[in-house]
Every structure is written in C-alpha cells, then in structure tokens.
Amino acid sequence: MVRDFIGNTPLRRDEYLSMRYNTNILIKEEFHNPGKSSKDRAAWFMVEDAIKTNKIAPGGTFVEASSGNTGISIALIAKKLGYKAKIFVSASCSDEKIDLLKSYGAEIQQCDNSNGLHVFNSTQYLAQNYSSNTENTYFTNQYYNSNNIKAHYKTTGPEIWTQTNGEVTHVLVGVGTGGSISGIGRYLKEQNPKVKIFGIEPKDSVYSLYMQNIPIPDEEAKFDSIEGIGRTFIREHLTKMPWMKFFR
C-alpha cells in the first residue's frame, strides 16, 4: 500500500548551518516520500477521503490545480489505486515536473496563470470548471480542502515533536496553499504554545503585504520567483486560519 511509504521522514541535523549559527538546525527530509515531496501527505489524505466518502467512483479521475508537486503526488497515488489524474499547471511549471507527471500517466493542461478560482484562465478556475462538467471526476482542490491541513496536523507535526523529543523551538515552513504551516503550527502550538512558527515567502509577496496590513494592489503583485511558493492572491479562508495569528 502506497500509504505505508508516506511520512515518517528523517529529521537531519545540518552540520554546516548548525555550526554557522551556533544552534541545532534540523531539516525534515521530505524527499524520502514516494513523490519526493511533503505533498504526498496531503494528496493521500485528500484522495483517501474522496474514496471513503464516495465522492468518486472506481476508475474515476482526480483533478488538481498545481505548481507541480501536489499534482505529482495526486497522479502517483491515483495510478497506484487504479484511478486517473488530470492536472492543471501554470505556464511556468518546469519541464522536469511535466515529464514526471506524464510518467505517472497524468493528463496535463497548461494554463496562463495560477491566480485563484475567480480568474477565468487560472489553473484553479479551469480545474474546477472541468470537474464540475465531467462525470466521475473529483477536484481535490488543495487550496480549500481541509484534509490538506489535517494531513500535516496528523503526521508532520507529531513527527517533528517526537523526533525532537519535544525540544523544538522554531519551525520554518514555506507557504504555498498554507496547508503545511497550518497543520504543523496548530499541532506544535498545542504541545507547547511557546514554539515559534515562521512562514517563508518571497519578499513583497501578497502574504507579506497582508501581514503588514498593507492593501493588496489590484494589479498582480510582483515579487521574487520561488517555484511552488508565493501566490498572487489571498484566499479569504486563509485569513481565518491559525497560522496567520502565529505571525502577529
């Protein structure tokens, strides 16, 4: 079962960084997951929930809008379980990720951008539209699916706590959908409210503007490009999520 190979990834002490900053800096090696990223965790929880709750019938197609990693995880897991996958990626998705998606049998549609559900030519809008109009498909919708957060609350957070013997003091997490940081942060804060959670974003991203109470401009925000993190819009539901308050 593919689930048996997801999670329980090593937490490695980085000797160079630990010596440079005179503290223990540990790296969670998520590339040990089958799909080579932490997205396998969320993908499994979303796919498993859809199957268990009969949101998709056997042989159906899982649909996702992805910068690449979640799509790879969905495609890998879907194939292992006898389902298909259709992944909507932005024009900036790397050739390597597209090749990997194809190797897992995913159908791929490249879109102009990844600017949210309300932008008609975005990955999110087109994925939702396709799933709404195609029989036996399920849009996992990582941006709004609570199983994304649950996966990290149930697995990544507890692993970090156990692997550090409860001595973790600071956690740095890249912010894409907000699922990893929400689940990890919520779990660790419940164990020790003094744990500090930091979201990593490109300079001048919409999240950094939001956290400084600076109005989000109408035109598309410009910031340094880091593939997989850095969004051009704020999902309304994320402003109510627990990881936001960690920055306050």
Side-chain angles (χ1 to χ4, degrees), residues 70-139:
T70 303
I72 289 168
S73 298
I74 293 287
L76 182 157
I77 293 169
K79 184 177 181 179
K80 291 287 187 181
L81 297 179
Y83 293 81
K84 297 184 286 292
K86 183 175 175 70
I87 310 299
F88 291 75
V89 301
S90 61
S92 62
C93 185
S94 68
D95 292 340
E96 291 82 0
K97 287 182 178 179
I98 289 176
D99 289 343
L100 193 52
L101 283 165
K102 289 179 179 178
S103 74
Y104 291 135
E107 182 181 350
I108 302 163
Q109 181 167 331
Q110 289 191 279
C111 310
D112 291 341
N113 59 69
S114 182
N115 290 351
L117 286 170
H118 304 297
V119 178
F120 79 94
N121 57 345
S122 72
T123 57
Q124 295 89 358
Y125 179 93
L126 293 172
Q128 179 175 258
N129 184 66
Y130 174 84
S131 185
S132 297
N133 292 283
T134 308
E135 289 187 8
N136 200 18
T137 61
Y138 178 72
F139 180 26

Side-chain angles (χ1 to χ4, degrees):
M1 172 64 74
V2 65
R3 174 66 184 91
D4 297 334
F5 299 97
I6 297 174
N8 295 311
T9 55
L11 191 64
R12 175 180 60 84
R13 184 179 187 270
D14 188 289
E15 298 297 336
Y16 170 75
L17 292 176
S18 296
M19 289 181 62
R20 179 174 179 177
Y21 295 105
N22 195 32
T23 189
N24 287 317
I25 296 180
L26 310 174
I27 298 174
K28 195 83 164 96
E29 295 187 331
E30 290 296 279
F31 59 82
H32 285 275
N33 287 304
K36 309 304 181 186
S37 83
S38 65
K39 297 297 186 179
D40 283 3
R41 300 174 185 263
W44 175 263
F45 271 69
M46 293 189 294
V47 167
E48 181 186 46
D49 175 74
I51 294 172
K52 283 185 174 180
T53 55
N54 299 313
K55 295 172 183 173
I56 188 170
T61 300
F62 283 97
V63 178
E64 185 54 272
S66 172
S67 63
N69 286 337
T70 303
I72 289 168
S73 298
I74 293 287
L76 182 157
I77 293 169
K79 184 177 181 179
K80 291 287 187 181
L81 297 179
Y83 293 81
K84 297 184 286 292
K86 183 175 175 70
I87 310 299
F88 291 75
V89 301
S90 61
S92 62
C93 185
S94 68
D95 292 340
E96 291 82 0
K97 287 182 178 179
I98 289 176
D99 289 343
L100 193 52
L101 283 165
K102 289 179 179 178
S103 74
Y104 291 135
E107 182 181 350
I108 302 163
Q109 181 167 331
Q110 289 191 279
C111 310
D112 291 341
N113 59 69
S114 182
N115 290 351
L117 286 170
H118 304 297
V119 178
F120 79 94
N121 57 345
S122 72
T123 57
Q124 295 89 358
Y125 179 93
L126 293 172
Q128 179 175 258
N129 184 66
Y130 174 84
S131 185
S132 297
N133 292 283
T134 308
E135 289 187 8
N136 200 18
T137 61
Y138 178 72
F139 180 26
T140 46
N141 197 3
Q142 60 176 318
Y143 290 90
Y144 292 88
N145 192 323
S146 62
N147 285 291
N148 183 359
I149 300 170
K150 184 179 179 181
H152 297 284
Y153 179 81
K154 292 289 189 179
T155 68
T156 323
E159 287 175 29
I160 292 171
W161 183 255
T162 300
Q163 290 170 321
T164 62
N165 295 315
E167 295 180 2
V168 59
T169 59
H170 299 72
V171 180
L172 286 71
V173 186
V175 181
T177 64
S180 300
I181 194 169
S182 295
I184 293 169
R186 180 183 296 172
Y187 180 85
L188 293 179
K189 284 285 190 176
E190 287 177 357
Q191 311 313 306
N192 179 6
K194 293 182 179 180
V195 175
K196 302 295 184 183
I197 310 296
F198 293 87
I200 307 304
E201 273 285 288
K203 184 179 180 181
D204 296 328
S205 77
V206 290
Y207 283 132
S208 66
L209 297 178
Y210 174 81
M211 297 314 301
Q212 298 174 67
N213 295 315
I214 298 174
I216 307 301
D218 292 333
E219 66 275 11
E220 185 171 311
K222 300 296 182 183
F223 49 81
D224 293 338
S225 176
I226 302 177
E227 187 176 6
I229 64 173
R231 296 275 77 89
T232 58
F233 62 98
I234 291 281
R235 274 82 71 210
E236 182 179 352
H237 77 297
L238 287 183
T239 65
K240 302 178 177 65
M241 284 191 175
W243 65 271
M244 284 293 188
K245 71 180 179 182
F246 299 152
F247 297 149
R248 297 294 189 184

